[in-house]
Amino acid sequence: MKPINSNWFVRTRLKNRHIPLLAALGETGNLNRAAIGLGISQPAISKLLKELEDGLGVELFERHARGVVPTLYGEAMIRHAKRMLNTLDSAYNEVDALRHGQQGHVRIGTILTPCAELLPEVVRRAKLGFPELEITIRTGSSRDLLAIMDDGELDFLVARFFASSQQTDLRFEPLAKEPLQICARAGLVEGPMSRAQLNAADWVLPPVGSVLRQEFDALFQRVGMRPPRKVVNAENLLMVTTLVEKDDMLTVLPRDVLAHYARYGMLEEIEVDASIDADLNQGLMAYGIITKTPQQLSPAAASVLELLRDTAQQMGLGHEAAHP
């Protein structure tokens, strides 16, 4: 790094007041008007100009009865002075924007259901209010997301909470449960499916060990049935929906996720035996907002988190959800 003492502006004793002086003289061409604009006396502005010229060793302005005219050196210094002022204004605006959460990078982890309605609306509002804000959304299972946030790679989550001895510093704000719906491609099934038909069908399901798969298997067990055995395990939603569309398979999705695909005529809910349907409507464990406590969120992350809370409230989330 270059020693600061070797910089020309140190050797010439350039002061912060010299920069607006140059810009003002470039705009007005008059010492008196420049002094008035800067809020200083004309003798003071004359002294500053002489200091600058002495330090640089060149004449910056030609003095005339009606004002001052910049020399070739003066024009160069005026140009750079204006550029410096603009840069400093931009620097302040950027710092001020960061301080108020209008710029920066926010990293959100989420499970599937909030991707259908809640988070798209949060992002829409965030981009309207903070157009310079960078937002990263990472999807995954709740357990995986909790581990990622624990490593400091995510600011907050919209996920399910799993208590453990290593996660005593987490705060959970429940939002909603996830009613489940069995679905298939549009037009595949007519009329309600019996228990036997459900058991014999081909399924594409989340991997064994996931919350959704555990709940799906438990659904069949609660009504005295064995879970289906003709199963393709797939976690990626694009793979799940593609298999359902092309291979006449069934799957189970949260209600809000299915509603998204149903709007485009890709998937539709399958009517099932009434006892199974009642269990499906009980929904999964509640999901909600998970933050670390104590945690010093950046102004940008804090702004988006507050926007998330407001959006969830306006969408009617959080009133009926219970703590797990």
Side-chain angles (χ1 to χ4, degrees):
M1 179 180 295
K2 186 178 181 181
I4 191 169
N5 289 336
S6 66
N7 289 315
W8 71 267
F9 50 82
V10 176
R11 297 195 306 271
T12 59
R13 298 182 181 180
L14 182 71
K15 299 176 181 178
N16 59 348
R17 290 181 295 174
H18 289 141
I19 307 305
L21 163 66
L22 287 166
L25 287 176
E27 290 179 3
T28 65
N30 184 279
L31 290 173
N32 188 50
R33 288 201 298 271
I36 294 172
L38 294 173
I40 60 177
S41 66
Q42 183 171 333
I45 205 170
S46 297
K47 181 181 178 181
L48 286 171
L49 179 56
K50 186 176 186 306
E51 289 175 353
L52 185 56
E53 289 181 325
D54 289 346
L56 290 170
V58 295
E59 186 180 58
L60 298 177
F61 293 88
E62 295 177 356
R63 279 71 166 175
H64 299 280
R66 295 184 178 181
V68 293
V69 177
T71 64
L72 185 64
Y73 308 114
E75 290 177 352
M77 289 298 294
I78 290 169
R79 184 172 68 253
H80 286 288
K82 289 180 177 179
R83 188 177 300 163
M84 289 175 66
L85 288 175
N86 288 333
T87 300
L88 289 172
D89 284 343
S90 297
Y92 173 79
N93 291 336
E94 183 173 341
V95 170
D96 192 54
L98 288 168
R99 181 176 59 190
H100 292 90
Q102 298 172 352
Q103 288 186 13
H105 186 193
V106 183
R107 306 159 303 169
I108 307 171
T110 182
I111 57 174
L112 193 58
T113 295
C115 295
E117 299 288 345
L118 176 59
L119 284 178
E121 180 61 15
V122 171
V123 170
R124 186 188 71 82
R125 297 183 183 190
K127 298 307 290 182
L128 285 174
F130 317 120
E132 300 299 320
L133 193 64
E134 181 180 355
I135 300 175
T136 295
I137 299 177
R138 186 164 180 172
T139 59
S141 69
S142 296
R143 287 190 175 90
D144 288 345
L145 293 172
L146 284 166
I148 295 170
M149 186 172 73
D150 191 53
D151 290 338
E153 297 180 24
L154 293 171
D155 295 309
F156 55 86
L157 308 180
V158 187
R160 286 176 287 270
F161 177 76
F162 296 93
S164 73
S165 58
Q166 285 76 36
Q167 295 171 336
T168 58
D169 60 342
L170 299 180
R171 179 170 183 255
F172 179 67
E173 305 168 45
L175 292 179
K177 290 188 175 182
E178 298 177 272
L180 301 178
Q181 291 181 332
I182 294 174
C183 56
R185 66 171 174 82
L188 177 64
V189 180
E190 294 184 5
M193 292 188 71
S194 66
R195 296 188 182 192
Q197 288 175 315
L198 290 171
N199 198 268
D202 290 296
W203 291 82
V204 53
L205 296 172
V208 175
S210 66
V211 174
L212 186 54
R213 181 61 175 274
Q214 289 174 350
E215 183 61 26
F216 178 83
D217 290 347
L219 165 66
F220 280 80
Q221 292 166 352
R222 284 196 298 268
V223 296
M225 296 172 57
R226 289 187 309 180
R229 294 186 175 182
K230 298 164 64 176
V231 173
V232 172
N233 299 300
E235 190 169 18
N236 181 275
L237 183 58
L238 178 60
M239 177 59 69
V240 171
T241 54
T242 301
L243 288 172
V244 170
E245 285 184 283
K246 295 182 178 299
D247 294 339
D248 295 347
M249 304 176 79
L250 305 184
T251 192
V252 60
L253 291 174
R255 179 189 59 199
D256 290 346
V257 177
L258 173 59
H260 173 79
Y261 287 98
R263 281 197 293 269
Y264 298 97
M266 298 169 62
L267 303 177
E268 66 181 10
E269 180 184 3
I270 299 300
E271 293 183 59
V272 298
D273 181 274
S275 62
I276 295 178
D277 189 59
D279 278 322
L280 281 169
N281 286 327
Q282 291 179 13
L284 295 174
M285 177 194 302
Y287 69 87
I289 300 169
I290 302 176
T291 53
K292 296 190 72 172
T293 56
Q295 181 184 31
Q296 186 63 45
L297 289 174
S298 69
S303 295
V304 175
L305 179 58
E306 191 59 33
L307 186 59
L308 171 62
R309 291 188 177 114
D310 291 344
T311 304
Q313 184 178 26
Q314 291 174 20
M315 295 176 70
L317 302 174
H319 300 295
E320 299 179 357
H323 285 275

